[in-house]
Coordinates of all heavy atoms in Angstrom, one line a residue:
M1 N -11.2 2.2 35.8 CA -12.5 2.5 35.5 C -13.2 1.3 34.7 O -12.5 0.8 34.0 CB -12.6 3.8 34.7 CG -14.0 3.9 34.2 SD -14.5 5.4 33.0 CE -13.0 6.3 32.6
I2 N -14.3 1.1 35.1 CA -15.1 0.0 34.4 C -15.9 0.6 33.3 O -16.5 1.7 33.4 CB -16.1 -0.7 35.3 CG1 -15.4 -1.5 36.6 CG2 -17.0 -1.7 34.5 CD1 -16.4 -1.9 37.6
V3 N -15.7 0.1 32.2 CA -16.4 0.5 30.9 C -17.2 -0.7 30.4 O -16.7 -1.8 30.2 CB -15.3 0.9 29.8 CG1 -16.2 1.2 28.5 CG2 -14.5 2.2 30.3
A4 N -18.5 -0.5 30.2 CA -19.5 -1.5 29.8 C -19.3 -1.5 28.2 O -19.7 -0.5 27.5 CB -20.8 -1.2 30.1
G5 N -19.0 -2.7 27.7 CA -18.8 -2.9 26.3 C -20.1 -3.5 25.7 O -20.6 -4.4 26.2
F6 N -20.6 -3.0 24.6 CA -21.8 -3.4 23.9 C -21.5 -3.8 22.5 O -20.9 -3.1 21.7 CB -22.8 -2.2 23.9 CG -23.6 -2.1 25.2 CD1 -22.9 -1.3 26.2 CD2 -24.8 -2.6 25.4 CE1 -23.6 -1.2 27.5 CE2 -25.5 -2.3 26.6 CZ -25.0 -1.7 27.7
G7 N -22.2 -4.8 22.1 CA -22.3 -5.3 20.7 C -23.8 -5.5 20.5 O -24.4 -6.1 21.4
F8 N -24.4 -4.9 19.6 CA -25.8 -4.9 19.4 C -26.3 -4.8 17.9 O -25.5 -4.2 17.1 CB -26.6 -3.9 20.2 CG -26.1 -2.4 19.9 CD1 -26.8 -1.7 19.1 CD2 -25.0 -2.0 20.5 CE1 -26.4 -0.4 18.8 CE2 -24.6 -0.6 20.4 CZ -25.2 0.0 19.3
R9 N -27.4 -5.2 17.6 CA -27.9 -5.0 16.2 C -28.5 -3.7 16.1 O -28.9 -3.1 17.1 CB -29.1 -6.1 16.0 CG -28.5 -7.5 16.0 CD -29.8 -8.5 15.7 NE -29.1 -9.9 15.9 CZ -29.4 -10.8 15.0 NH1 -30.2 -10.6 14.0 NH2 -28.7 -11.9 15.2
Q10 N -28.5 -3.2 14.9 CA -28.9 -1.8 14.5 C -30.4 -1.5 15.2 O -30.5 -0.5 15.6 CB -28.8 -1.4 13.1 CG -28.7 0.0 12.8 CD -27.3 0.6 13.4 OE1 -26.4 -0.2 13.8 NE2 -27.3 1.9 13.6
G11 N -31.1 -2.5 15.2 CA -32.5 -2.2 15.6 C -32.8 -2.4 17.1 O -33.9 -2.3 17.6
A12 N -31.8 -2.5 17.8 CA -31.9 -2.7 19.4 C -32.5 -1.5 19.9 O -32.3 -0.3 19.5 CB -30.5 -3.0 20.0
S13 N -33.3 -1.7 20.9 CA -33.9 -0.5 21.7 C -33.2 -0.2 22.8 O -32.4 -0.9 23.4 CB -35.5 -1.0 22.1 OG -35.4 -1.9 23.1
A14 N -33.5 1.0 23.2 CA -32.7 1.5 24.4 C -33.3 0.8 25.6 O -32.3 0.5 26.5 CB -33.1 3.1 24.7
S15 N -34.4 0.3 25.8 CA -34.7 -0.5 26.9 C -34.1 -1.9 26.9 O -33.7 -2.4 27.9 CB -36.3 -0.7 27.1 OG -36.8 -1.3 25.8
S16 N -33.9 -2.4 25.8 CA -33.2 -3.7 25.7 C -31.6 -3.5 26.0 O -31.1 -4.4 26.6 CB -33.2 -4.5 24.3 OG -32.6 -3.8 23.3
L17 N -31.0 -2.5 25.6 CA -29.7 -2.2 26.0 C -29.6 -2.0 27.5 O -28.7 -2.3 28.2 CB -29.1 -0.9 25.2 CG -29.0 -1.2 23.7 CD1 -28.5 0.0 23.0 CD2 -28.1 -2.3 23.3
R18 N -30.6 -1.2 28.1 CA -30.5 -1.0 29.5 C -30.8 -2.3 30.3 O -30.2 -2.5 31.4 CB -31.7 0.0 29.9 CG -31.9 0.2 31.3 CD -30.6 1.0 32.0 NE -30.6 1.1 33.4 CZ -31.0 2.2 34.1 NH1 -31.2 3.3 33.4 NH2 -30.8 2.1 35.3
D19 N -31.6 -3.1 29.8 CA -31.8 -4.6 30.4 C -30.4 -5.3 30.5 O -30.1 -5.7 31.4 CB -32.8 -5.3 29.7 CG -33.1 -6.6 30.3 OD1 -33.5 -6.5 31.6 OD2 -33.2 -7.5 29.7
A20 N -29.8 -5.2 29.2 CA -28.5 -6.0 29.2 C -27.5 -5.3 30.2 O -26.8 -6.0 31.0 CB -27.9 -5.8 27.8
Y21 N -27.3 -4.0 30.2 CA -26.5 -3.3 31.2 C -26.8 -3.6 32.6 O -26.0 -4.1 33.4 CB -26.6 -1.8 30.9 CG -26.0 -1.0 32.0 CD1 -24.5 -0.8 31.8 CD2 -26.5 -0.4 33.0 CE1 -23.8 0.0 32.7 CE2 -25.8 0.3 34.0 CZ -24.4 0.5 33.9 OH -23.7 1.3 34.8
D22 N -28.1 -3.6 33.0 CA -28.5 -4.0 34.4 C -28.2 -5.4 34.7 O -27.7 -5.6 35.8 CB -29.9 -3.7 34.5 CG -30.4 -2.2 34.6 OD1 -29.4 -1.3 34.8 OD2 -31.5 -1.9 34.5
H23 N -28.3 -6.3 33.8 CA -28.0 -7.8 34.1 C -26.6 -8.0 34.1 O -26.0 -8.8 35.0 CB -28.6 -8.6 33.0 CG -30.1 -8.8 33.3 ND1 -31.1 -8.0 32.8 CD2 -30.8 -9.8 34.0 CE1 -32.3 -8.4 33.3 NE2 -32.2 -9.5 33.9
A24 N -25.7 -7.3 33.4 CA -24.3 -7.6 33.3 C -23.4 -6.9 34.4 O -22.5 -7.5 34.8 CB -23.8 -7.1 31.9
R25 N -24.0 -5.9 35.0 CA -23.2 -5.0 35.8 C -23.0 -5.7 37.3 O -22.1 -5.2 38.1 CB -23.6 -3.6 35.9 CG -24.9 -3.4 36.7 CD -25.3 -1.8 36.5 NE -26.5 -1.7 37.3 CZ -26.5 -1.0 38.3 NH1 -25.4 -0.5 38.8 NH2 -27.7 -0.8 39.1
T26 N -23.8 -6.5 37.6 CA -23.7 -7.2 38.9 C -23.4 -6.3 40.1 O -22.5 -6.7 40.9 CB -22.8 -8.4 38.8 OG1 -21.4 -7.9 38.6 CG2 -23.1 -9.4 37.8
G27 N -24.1 -5.3 40.2 CA -24.1 -4.3 41.3 C -22.8 -3.2 41.0 O -22.9 -2.3 42.0
L28 N -21.9 -3.4 40.1 CA -21.0 -2.3 39.9 C -21.5 -1.5 38.8 O -22.1 -1.7 37.9 CB -19.8 -3.1 39.3 CG -19.2 -4.2 40.2 CD1 -18.0 -5.0 39.5 CD2 -18.6 -3.6 41.4
A29 N -21.2 -0.2 39.0 CA -21.5 1.0 38.1 C -20.4 1.2 37.1 O -19.3 1.2 37.5 CB -21.8 2.3 38.8
A30 N -20.6 1.3 35.8 CA -19.7 1.7 34.9 C -19.4 3.0 34.8 O -20.3 3.9 35.1 CB -20.1 1.2 33.4
G31 N -18.2 3.5 34.3 CA -17.8 4.8 34.3 C -18.0 5.3 32.8 O -17.7 6.5 32.5
G32 N -18.4 4.3 31.8 CA -18.5 4.8 30.5 C -19.1 3.6 29.7 O -19.1 2.4 30.1
L33 N -19.5 3.8 28.5 CA -20.1 2.9 27.6 C -19.2 2.9 26.3 O -18.7 3.9 25.9 CB -21.5 3.2 27.2 CG -22.4 3.2 28.4 CD1 -23.9 3.7 27.6 CD2 -22.5 2.1 29.1
A34 N -19.0 1.6 25.8 CA -18.1 1.6 24.4 C -18.9 0.6 23.6 O -19.6 -0.4 24.0 CB -16.8 1.0 24.9
T35 N -18.7 0.7 22.3 CA -19.1 -0.1 21.2 C -18.2 0.2 19.9 O -17.4 1.0 20.0 CB -20.6 0.1 21.0 OG1 -21.1 -0.9 20.2 CG2 -20.9 1.4 20.3
A36 N -18.6 -0.5 18.9 CA -18.0 -0.2 17.6 C -18.2 1.1 17.2 O -19.2 1.7 17.4 CB -18.4 -1.2 16.6
E37 N -17.1 1.8 16.7 CA -17.3 3.1 16.3 C -18.3 3.5 15.3 O -19.0 4.5 15.6 CB -15.8 3.5 15.7 CG -15.7 5.1 15.5 CD -14.3 5.3 15.0 OE1 -13.8 4.7 13.9 OE2 -13.6 6.1 15.5
D38 N -18.7 2.7 14.5 CA -19.8 2.9 13.5 C -21.2 2.7 14.2 O -22.2 3.2 13.6 CB -19.7 2.0 12.4 CG -19.8 0.5 12.7 OD1 -19.2 0.1 13.7 OD2 -20.5 -0.2 11.9
K39 N -21.2 2.2 15.4 CA -22.5 2.1 16.2 C -22.6 3.1 17.3 O -23.7 3.2 18.0 CB -22.7 0.6 16.6 CG -22.9 -0.3 15.5 CD -23.5 -1.6 16.1 CE -23.9 -2.5 14.9 NZ -24.6 -3.7 15.4
A40 N -21.6 3.9 17.6 CA -21.6 4.8 18.8 C -22.8 5.8 18.6 O -23.1 6.4 19.7 CB -20.3 5.4 18.9
A41 N -23.1 6.2 17.4 CA -24.0 7.1 17.3 C -25.5 6.6 17.2 O -26.5 7.3 17.0 CB -23.8 8.1 16.1
A42 N -25.6 5.3 17.3 CA -27.0 4.7 17.2 C -27.9 5.5 18.2 O -27.7 5.5 19.4 CB -27.0 3.3 17.5
P43 N -29.2 5.8 17.9 CA -30.1 6.5 18.7 C -30.3 5.7 20.0 O -30.3 6.3 21.1 CB -31.3 6.7 17.9 CG -31.0 6.6 16.6 CD -29.8 5.8 16.6
A44 N -30.5 4.4 20.0 CA -30.7 3.7 21.2 C -29.5 3.8 22.2 O -29.8 3.8 23.4 CB -31.2 2.3 20.9
F45 N -28.3 3.6 21.6 CA -27.2 3.6 22.4 C -27.0 5.0 23.1 O -26.6 5.1 24.2 CB -26.0 3.2 21.5 CG -24.7 2.8 22.4 CD1 -24.7 1.8 23.2 CD2 -23.5 3.5 22.2 CE1 -23.6 1.4 23.9 CE2 -22.4 3.2 23.0 CZ -22.5 2.1 23.8
R46 N -27.1 6.0 22.2 CA -27.1 7.4 22.9 C -28.0 7.7 23.9 O -27.8 8.3 24.9 CB -27.2 8.5 21.7 CG -26.0 8.3 20.7 CD -26.0 9.5 19.6 NE -25.9 10.7 20.1 CZ -24.7 11.1 20.5 NH1 -23.6 10.4 20.5 NH2 -24.6 12.4 21.0
A47 N -29.3 7.1 23.7 CA -30.4 7.3 24.7 C -29.9 6.6 26.1 O -30.2 7.1 27.1 CB -31.7 6.8 24.3
L48 N -29.4 5.4 25.9 CA -28.9 4.8 27.0 C -27.8 5.5 27.9 O -27.9 5.8 29.0 CB -28.3 3.4 26.7 CG -27.6 2.5 27.9 CD1 -28.6 2.2 29.0 CD2 -26.9 1.3 27.4
A49 N -26.9 6.0 27.1 CA -25.7 6.9 27.7 C -26.4 8.1 28.4 O -25.9 8.5 29.5 CB -24.8 7.3 26.6
E50 N -27.4 8.7 27.8 CA -28.0 9.9 28.4 C -28.7 9.5 29.6 O -28.4 10.3 30.7 CB -28.8 10.6 27.2 CG -29.4 11.8 27.8 CD -30.2 12.5 26.7 OE1 -29.8 12.6 25.6 OE2 -31.3 13.1 27.1
T51 N -29.3 8.5 29.5 CA -30.2 8.0 30.8 C -29.2 7.8 31.9 O -29.6 8.1 33.1 CB -30.9 6.8 30.4 OG1 -31.9 7.2 29.4 CG2 -31.7 6.3 31.7
L52 N -28.1 7.1 31.6 CA -27.1 6.7 32.7 C -26.2 7.9 33.0 O -25.4 7.7 34.0 CB -26.4 5.5 32.3 CG -27.2 4.2 32.0 CD1 -26.3 3.1 31.3 CD2 -27.7 3.7 33.3
G53 N -26.2 8.9 32.1 CA -25.2 10.0 32.5 C -23.7 9.4 32.1 O -22.8 10.0 32.9
L54 N -23.5 8.7 31.2 CA -22.2 8.2 31.0 C -21.7 8.6 29.5 O -22.5 8.6 28.5 CB -22.3 6.7 31.0 CG -22.5 6.1 32.4 CD1 -22.7 4.5 32.2 CD2 -21.6 6.5 33.3
P55 N -20.4 8.7 29.5 CA -19.7 9.1 28.1 C -19.8 7.8 27.2 O -19.7 6.6 27.7 CB -18.4 9.5 28.4 CG -18.0 8.8 29.8 CD -19.4 8.7 30.6
I56 N -19.6 7.9 25.9 CA -19.6 7.0 25.0 C -18.2 6.9 24.3 O -17.7 8.1 24.1 CB -20.7 7.1 23.8 CG1 -22.0 6.9 24.3 CG2 -20.3 6.1 22.7 CD1 -23.1 7.2 23.3
R57 N -17.7 5.7 24.1 CA -16.4 5.6 23.4 C -16.6 4.7 22.2 O -17.0 3.5 22.4 CB -15.3 5.0 24.3 CG -14.0 5.0 23.5 CD -12.8 5.0 24.3 NE -11.6 4.8 23.5 CZ -10.6 4.3 23.9 NH1 -10.4 3.8 24.9 NH2 -9.6 4.2 22.9
G58 N -16.5 5.2 21.1 CA -16.5 4.4 19.8 C -15.1 3.8 19.5 O -14.2 4.5 19.5
I59 N -15.0 2.5 19.4 CA -13.7 1.7 19.3 C -13.5 1.5 17.8 O -14.5 0.9 17.2 CB -13.7 0.6 20.0 CG1 -14.2 0.8 21.5 CG2 -12.3 -0.1 19.9 CD1 -13.2 1.7 22.3
P60 N -12.5 2.0 17.1 CA -12.2 1.7 15.7 C -12.1 0.3 15.4 O -11.5 -0.5 16.3 CB -11.0 2.5 15.5 CG -10.8 3.4 16.6 CD -11.6 2.8 17.8
A61 N -12.6 0.0 14.2 CA -12.5 -1.5 13.8 C -11.1 -2.0 13.9 O -10.7 -3.2 14.2 CB -12.9 -1.6 12.4
S62 N -10.1 -1.1 13.6 CA -8.6 -1.6 13.7 C -8.2 -2.0 15.1 O -7.2 -2.7 15.2 CB -7.8 -0.5 13.2 OG -7.9 0.7 14.1
Q63 N -8.9 -1.5 16.1 CA -8.6 -1.8 17.5 C -9.5 -3.1 17.9 O -9.0 -3.9 18.7 CB -8.8 -0.7 18.5 CG -7.7 0.3 18.4 CD -8.0 1.4 19.2 OE1 -9.0 1.5 19.9 NE2 -7.2 2.5 19.3
L64 N -10.6 -3.1 17.5 CA -11.5 -4.3 17.9 C -10.8 -5.5 17.4 O -10.9 -6.6 18.1 CB -12.9 -4.2 17.3 CG -13.8 -3.2 17.9 CD1 -15.1 -3.1 17.0 CD2 -14.0 -3.6 19.4
C65 N -10.3 -5.6 16.2 CA -10.0 -6.8 15.6 C -8.6 -7.3 16.1 O -8.2 -8.5 16.0 CB -9.8 -6.7 14.1 SG -8.4 -5.6 13.6
T66 N -8.0 -6.6 17.1 CA -6.6 -7.1 17.7 C -7.0 -7.6 19.1 O -5.9 -8.1 19.6 CB -5.7 -5.8 17.8 OG1 -6.2 -4.9 18.7 CG2 -5.4 -5.2 16.3
Q67 N -8.1 -7.6 19.6 CA -8.4 -8.0 20.9 C -8.9 -9.5 20.9 O -9.8 -10.0 20.1 CB -9.6 -7.2 21.6 CG -9.2 -5.7 21.6 CD -8.0 -5.5 22.4 OE1 -7.8 -6.0 23.4 NE2 -7.1 -4.6 21.7
A68 N -8.4 -10.3 21.8 CA -8.7 -11.7 22.1 C -10.1 -11.8 22.7 O -10.2 -10.8 23.7 CB -7.7 -12.4 22.8
T69 N -11.0 -12.6 22.5 CA -12.2 -12.7 23.1 C -12.5 -14.2 23.6 O -11.9 -15.1 22.8 CB -13.4 -12.3 22.3 OG1 -13.4 -13.1 21.0 CG2 -13.2 -10.8 21.9
L70 N -13.2 -14.3 24.7 CA -13.5 -15.6 25.1 C -14.5 -16.4 24.3 O -14.5 -17.5 24.2 CB -13.9 -15.6 26.6 CG -12.9 -15.2 27.7 CD1 -13.6 -14.9 29.0 CD2 -11.7 -16.0 27.7
T71 N -15.4 -15.6 23.8 CA -16.6 -16.2 23.0 C -16.3 -15.8 21.5 O -15.6 -14.7 21.2 CB -17.9 -15.8 23.5 OG1 -18.1 -14.3 23.2 CG2 -18.2 -16.2 24.8
R72 N -16.9 -16.5 20.7 CA -16.6 -16.3 19.2 C -17.9 -16.5 18.4 O -18.5 -17.7 18.4 CB -15.5 -17.2 18.6 CG -14.2 -16.9 19.3 CD -13.1 -17.7 18.8 NE -12.6 -17.5 17.4 CZ -11.9 -16.4 17.2 NH1 -11.5 -15.6 18.1 NH2 -11.4 -16.1 15.9
S73 N -18.5 -15.5 17.9 CA -19.6 -15.6 17.0 C -19.2 -15.7 15.5 O -18.5 -14.8 15.0 CB -20.7 -14.4 17.2 OG -21.5 -14.3 16.2
P74 N -19.6 -16.8 14.8 CA -19.2 -16.8 13.3 C -19.5 -15.6 12.6 O -18.8 -15.0 11.8 CB -19.8 -18.1 12.9 CG -20.0 -18.9 14.1 CD -20.3 -18.0 15.2
R75 N -20.8 -15.1 12.9 CA -21.3 -13.9 12.1 C -20.5 -12.7 12.5 O -20.1 -11.9 11.6 CB -22.8 -13.6 12.5 CG -23.4 -12.5 11.7 CD -24.7 -12.3 12.2 NE -25.0 -11.8 13.5 CZ -24.8 -10.6 14.1 NH1 -24.3 -9.8 13.4 NH2 -24.9 -10.6 15.5
V76 N -20.1 -12.4 13.8 CA -19.5 -11.3 14.1 C -18.0 -11.4 13.6 O -17.4 -10.4 13.2 CB -19.5 -11.0 15.8 CG1 -18.6 -10.0 16.2 CG2 -20.9 -10.8 16.1
L77 N -17.4 -12.5 13.8 CA -16.0 -12.9 13.3 C -16.0 -12.5 11.7 O -15.1 -11.9 11.3 CB -15.7 -14.2 13.5 CG -14.2 -14.6 13.3 CD1 -13.3 -13.7 14.0 CD2 -14.0 -16.1 13.5
D78 N -17.0 -12.9 11.0 CA -17.0 -12.6 9.6 C -17.2 -11.1 9.2 O -16.5 -10.5 8.4 CB -18.2 -13.4 9.0 CG -18.1 -13.2 7.5 OD1 -17.2 -13.4 6.8 OD2 -19.3 -13.0 6.8
E79 N -18.1 -10.4 10.0 CA -18.4 -9.0 9.8 C -17.3 -8.0 10.4 O -17.1 -7.0 9.8 CB -19.8 -8.7 10.4 CG -21.0 -9.3 9.7 CD -22.2 -9.1 10.2 OE1 -22.3 -8.2 11.1 OE2 -23.2 -9.7 9.8
R80 N -16.7 -8.5 11.7 CA -15.9 -7.6 12.4 C -14.6 -8.0 12.6 O -13.7 -7.2 13.1 CB -16.7 -7.2 13.8 CG -18.0 -6.7 13.5 CD -18.1 -5.2 13.8 NE -19.4 -4.7 13.7 CZ -19.6 -3.5 13.5 NH1 -18.6 -2.6 13.4 NH2 -20.8 -3.0 13.4
A81 N -14.1 -9.0 12.3 CA -12.9 -9.9 12.4 C -12.5 -9.8 14.0 O -11.3 -9.7 14.3 CB -11.9 -8.9 11.6
T82 N -13.5 -10.1 14.8 CA -13.4 -10.3 16.3 C -14.3 -11.2 16.6 O -15.4 -11.2 15.9 CB -13.3 -8.9 17.0 OG1 -13.0 -9.3 18.3 CG2 -14.7 -8.2 16.9
G83 N -14.2 -12.0 17.6 CA -15.2 -12.9 18.2 C -16.4 -12.3 18.8 O -17.4 -12.9 18.6
S84 N -16.2 -11.2 19.5 CA -17.3 -10.6 20.1 C -17.0 -8.9 20.3 O -16.0 -8.8 20.9 CB -17.5 -11.3 21.4 OG -18.4 -10.5 22.1
V85 N -17.9 -8.2 19.7 CA -17.6 -6.7 19.9 C -17.7 -6.4 21.3 O -16.7 -5.5 21.8 CB -18.8 -6.0 19.1 CG1 -18.6 -4.4 19.4 CG2 -18.5 -6.2 17.6
A86 N -18.7 -6.8 22.1 CA -18.7 -6.3 23.6 C -17.5 -6.8 24.2 O -17.0 -5.9 25.2 CB -19.9 -6.9 24.1
E87 N -16.9 -7.9 24.1 CA -15.6 -8.4 24.8 C -14.4 -7.6 24.3 O -13.7 -7.3 25.1 CB -15.6 -9.9 24.6 CG -16.6 -10.7 25.5 CD -16.2 -12.3 25.1 OE1 -15.1 -12.6 25.0 OE2 -17.3 -12.9 25.3
A88 N -14.5 -7.4 23.0 CA -13.2 -6.8 22.4 C -13.2 -5.4 22.9 O -12.1 -4.8 23.1 CB -13.3 -6.8 20.9

């Protein structure tokens, strides 16, 4: 199953998350959405999941920080101990 991983700022809108999803999926449909556990209840993220009819999986920080990522944001590394939430 393909799961679309999201890293986003708290103020992100549902439409901006949908735009990111549409651009990233390259014709493939995801079977679920994932993000950091503390952001899984964000209204915009929940709205996206509802619109797409997909389940949400909140990933605990203890699991995010163990994943290798191809990209590394210094801010995300400092805040989350991983290079990229979406990749992790």
